[in-house]
Amino acid sequence: MTEIRDDVFERFLKIKDTTRVKIRFNDTDAMGIIHFKNYMVYFDDGFVSLMDNIGHPRRIEDVIKDGIGCGVKHVDITYEAAARYGDYIIVESQIKNINSNSITFHHEIYKEQDKILLARVDCTRYFIDLKNNELIDASEFLLTFTKLDDSS
Amino acid sequence: MTEIRDDVFERFLKIKDTTRVKIRFNDTDAMGIIHFKNYMVYFDDGFVSLMDNIGHPRRIEDVIKDGIGCGVKHVDITYEAAARYGDYIIVESQIKNINSNSITFHHEIYKEQDKILLARVDCTRYFIDLKNNELIDASEFLLTFTKLDDSS
Amino acid sequence: MTEIRDDVFERFLKIKDTTRVKIRFNDTDAMGIIHFKNYMVYFDDGFVSLMDNIGHPRRIEDVIKDGIGCGVKHVDITYEAAARYGDYIIVESQIKNINSNSITFHHEIYKEQDKILLARVDCTRYFIDLKNNELIDASEFLLTFTKLDDSS
Amino acid sequence: MTEIRDDVFERFLKIKDTTRVKIRFNDTDAMGIIHFKNYMVYFDDGFVSLMDNIGHPRRIEDVIKDGIGCGVKHVDITYEAAARYGDYIIVESQIKNINSNSITFHHEIYKEQDKILLARVDCTRYFIDLKNNELIDASEFLLTFTKLDDSS
């Protein structure tokens, strides 16, 4: 990994994305709160939003439609407080670690109204070429997808 | 039902709401399209959006949080075309029929990109007071909630 | 359509399947009942169970894995009562109508404990060959899949 | 914590539960595999099954219906392989740690057909009295719920 790339990765690690998610009634459960399963969807929204705002004209959705699979290898999530129907939540996302095999994203999920922290998440993802089911070099993918190295 | 109310109901029937929904990756299935179950969520978004834009300062979400239950009595949905990950969909909603026991909503769901009709839905809903589990007069609820009769 | 086939279809229409579904906590919503969306999943279980018990050694799951897509064209569902966490539900399924383009299934969903009817469903499905996205003749599919005509 | 209780807890830690889950078509995503979110549901099935088989006549479902809330504090899940529609999965569950505030469960999720490990999960849960929203002593709950100490 060259010095130039380290510099590029430094820039990736500084990017912060914030997205807003509206909680649906069917996200709740009989305890009256958002079921823990649904936070998987919320930080996935954060991942998509981060990738879409990372500096490339193509949306990650279109890249995925074109045959790049994005899998999840590991999730570590700590639930700090409960949210309810009618709340809006804020997902703050950033890249925590970049490896050749995977990228780890860190997400913090807040209730918009009172900024109460709902959950902290580390999620490690990998990328595969669905045509041959081969793992894609994650750092290469990030560089290619974002074209951030063109500008360095 | 008085003449004045009929007039109010006429106004309800003319209200059209349009809301936009982003399709999530987990809305898809192994056929590569949005699973038919998820359209229940999309027209529910249309219902919430319509109620929130019907002319009352309180959000339907807050009314529901305060102990009004909103149940579904009947759904008739015809699927016309398939949507995929990365698509945005548009839900057009209006009130089709108002009874004392229920309100029927009509929704048309389109793909935003090319305006292709994805689904047509009639959904009949009722309202209950969760404190005593008693059915609320739906037309009264609509008038009270929207306060449209204040202005007539 | 030959007389023999009509006879075969008569036999299809007489087949009744019953399957049992355990309600999960995440099937509930903040009203304390099963969210209306989840009934789509329950009668889908009924469809799979009916197809798996219709007289063919291959499971419908394996047919679908092999490239036959099974889409939903229309759902008409009436909700009669509410179910809660901890309940088991019973899905009774039968074929209601067989066309060249589609098959309509009828499902009745009960609470196991007290046999209370929860919902009645008509669901019209079509079958496509995912290799070329061409519609498969539904009655042919039923005959081929079930091999019921071999025995006539 | 008395010696007798430590002995009881030793017995809890030795209990292993195995439950079988059928994968639904709507559990899949456009990559053709089970979406990572759905494993939250599978190990939740494992939790329910373990609690239902731990030695008490009352089902955990009924305890929850009676006003005991069961929340999730932390999930650590590692995905090892992918499952597909038509697969059955096996969830092996056991108690890993018992604290006064929480209980940590360990789950291993396998594909039934070939015993391939799909995911490993640690999930920490707490119990609250929904009448006053007060945290219940988890070890007391386990003893009361299971009545294992009656037999010691």
Side-chain angles (χ1 to χ4, degrees), chain D residues 91-129:
Chain D
V91 185
E92 287 185 4
S93 305
Q94 62 187 123
I95 294 173
K96 186 179 178 177
N97 207 29
I98 303 169
N99 291 313
S100 58
N101 288 327
S102 64
I103 303 174
T104 300
F105 297 84
H106 180 71
H107 307 278
E108 304 206 340
I109 302 176
Y110 294 88
K111 214 183 329 171
E112 185 181 54
Q113 192 183 354
D114 49 18
K115 311 293 176 212
I116 285 180
L117 179 67
L118 299 172
R120 285 175 288 114
V121 186
D122 282 339
C123 176
T124 303
R125 295 170 185 267
Y126 60 91
F127 300 88
I128 54 170
D129 187 333

Side-chain angles (χ1 to χ4, degrees), chain C residues 21-39:
Chain C
V21 184
K22 187 172 186 175
I23 289 176
R24 287 164 165 157
F25 193 68
N26 64 288
D27 292 345
T28 61
D29 63 29
M31 283 171 64
I33 61 175
I34 305 312
H35 191 267
F36 72 94
K37 166 186 83 157
N38 297 314
Y39 289 81

Side-chain angles (χ1 to χ4, degrees), chain C residues 83-109:
Chain C
R84 287 169 193 280
Y85 178 60
D87 291 340
Y88 282 86
I89 63 171
I90 300 294
V91 185
E92 288 185 5
S93 305
Q94 63 187 122
I95 294 173
K96 187 179 180 178
N97 207 29
I98 302 168
N99 290 313
S100 59
N101 288 327
S102 63
I103 303 175
T104 299
F105 297 83
H106 180 71
H107 308 277
E108 304 206 340
I109 301 175

Side-chain angles (χ1 to χ4, degrees), chain C residues 50-88:
Chain C
L50 175 65
M51 294 301 284
D52 278 353
N53 291 314
I54 215 163
H56 191 263
R58 295 199 72 202
R59 298 188 307 156
I60 184 75
E61 291 96 322
D62 294 323
V63 172
I64 287 172
K65 277 174 112 169
D66 281 358
I68 301 297
C70 172
V72 170
K73 175 68 190 163
H74 181 250
V75 173
D76 186 291
I77 178 163
T78 303
Y79 299 89
E80 300 288 358
R84 287 169 193 280
Y85 178 60
D87 291 340
Y88 282 86

Side-chain angles (χ1 to χ4, degrees), chain D residues 18-135:
Chain D
T18 300
T19 194
R20 185 179 189 244
V21 184
K22 188 174 186 175
I23 290 176
R24 286 163 165 158
F25 193 67
N26 63 288
D27 291 344
T28 61
D29 64 27
M31 282 171 63
I33 61 175
I34 305 313
H35 190 268
F36 73 93
K37 166 185 83 157
N38 296 314
Y39 289 82
M40 304 290 120
V41 175
Y42 304 152
F43 74 71
D44 213 37
D45 284 353
F47 161 70
V48 170
S49 180
L50 174 66
M51 293 302 284
D52 278 353
N53 291 315
I54 214 164
H56 191 264
R58 296 199 71 201
R59 298 189 307 156
I60 183 75
E61 292 96 321
D62 295 322
V63 172
I64 287 172
K65 278 173 111 169
D66 282 357
I68 301 297
C70 172
V72 170
K73 175 68 190 164
H74 182 251
V75 174
D76 186 292
I77 178 165
T78 304
Y79 299 89
E80 300 287 358
R84 289 168 190 282
Y85 178 60
D87 292 339
Y88 282 86
I89 63 171
I90 299 296
V91 185
E92 287 185 4
S93 305
Q94 62 187 123
I95 294 173
K96 186 179 178 177
N97 207 29
I98 303 169
N99 291 313
S100 58
N101 288 327
S102 64
I103 303 174
T104 300
F105 297 84
H106 180 71
H107 307 278
E108 304 206 340
I109 302 176
Y110 294 88
K111 214 183 329 171
E112 185 181 54
Q113 192 183 354
D114 49 18
K115 311 293 176 212
I116 285 180
L117 179 67
L118 299 172
R120 285 175 288 114
V121 186
D122 282 339
C123 176
T124 303
R125 295 170 185 267
Y126 60 91
F127 300 88
I128 54 170
D129 187 333
L130 291 176
K131 282 185 289 294
N132 53 22
N133 272 325
E134 274 179 25
L135 207 61

Side-chain angles (χ1 to χ4, degrees), chain A residues 21-27 41-42 44-45 48-49 52 59-62 64-65 70 84-88 113, chain B residues 21-27 41-42 44-45 48-49 52 59-62 64-65 70 84-88 113:
Chain A
V21 184
K22 188 174 185 175
I23 289 176
R24 286 163 164 157
F25 194 68
N26 64 287
D27 291 345
V41 175
Y42 304 152
D44 213 36
D45 284 353
V48 170
S49 179
D52 278 353
R59 298 188 308 155
I60 184 75
E61 292 95 321
D62 295 322
I64 288 171
K65 278 174 112 168
C70 172
R84 288 168 192 280
Y85 178 59
D87 292 339
Y88 281 87
Q113 192 184 352
Chain B
V21 184
K22 186 172 187 175
I23 290 176
R24 287 164 165 158
F25 193 68
N26 63 289
D27 291 345
V41 175
Y42 304 152
D44 213 36
D45 283 351
V48 170
S49 180
D52 278 353
R59 298 188 306 156
I60 183 75
E61 291 95 321
D62 295 322
I64 287 171
K65 277 174 113 170
C70 172
R84 287 167 193 280
Y85 177 60
D87 292 340
Y88 282 86
Q113 191 184 354

Side-chain angles (χ1 to χ4, degrees), chain C residues 2-30:
Chain C
T2 69
E3 211 169 302
I4 290 166
R5 285 201 177 160
D6 280 349
D7 180 61
V8 172
F9 290 139
E10 279 305 307
R11 288 164 57 195
F12 279 126
L13 299 178
K14 283 180 192 152
I15 296 169
K16 282 198 182 185
D17 180 80
T18 300
T19 194
R20 185 179 190 244
V21 184
K22 187 172 186 175
I23 289 176
R24 287 164 165 157
F25 193 68
N26 64 288
D27 292 345
T28 61
D29 63 29

Side-chain angles (χ1 to χ4, degrees), chain B residues 9 12 18 29 48 54-55 93-94 98 115 128 141:
Chain B
F9 290 140
F12 280 126
T18 300
D29 64 27
V48 170
I54 215 164
S93 303
Q94 63 188 120
I98 303 168
K115 312 294 176 210
I128 53 169
F141 172 73

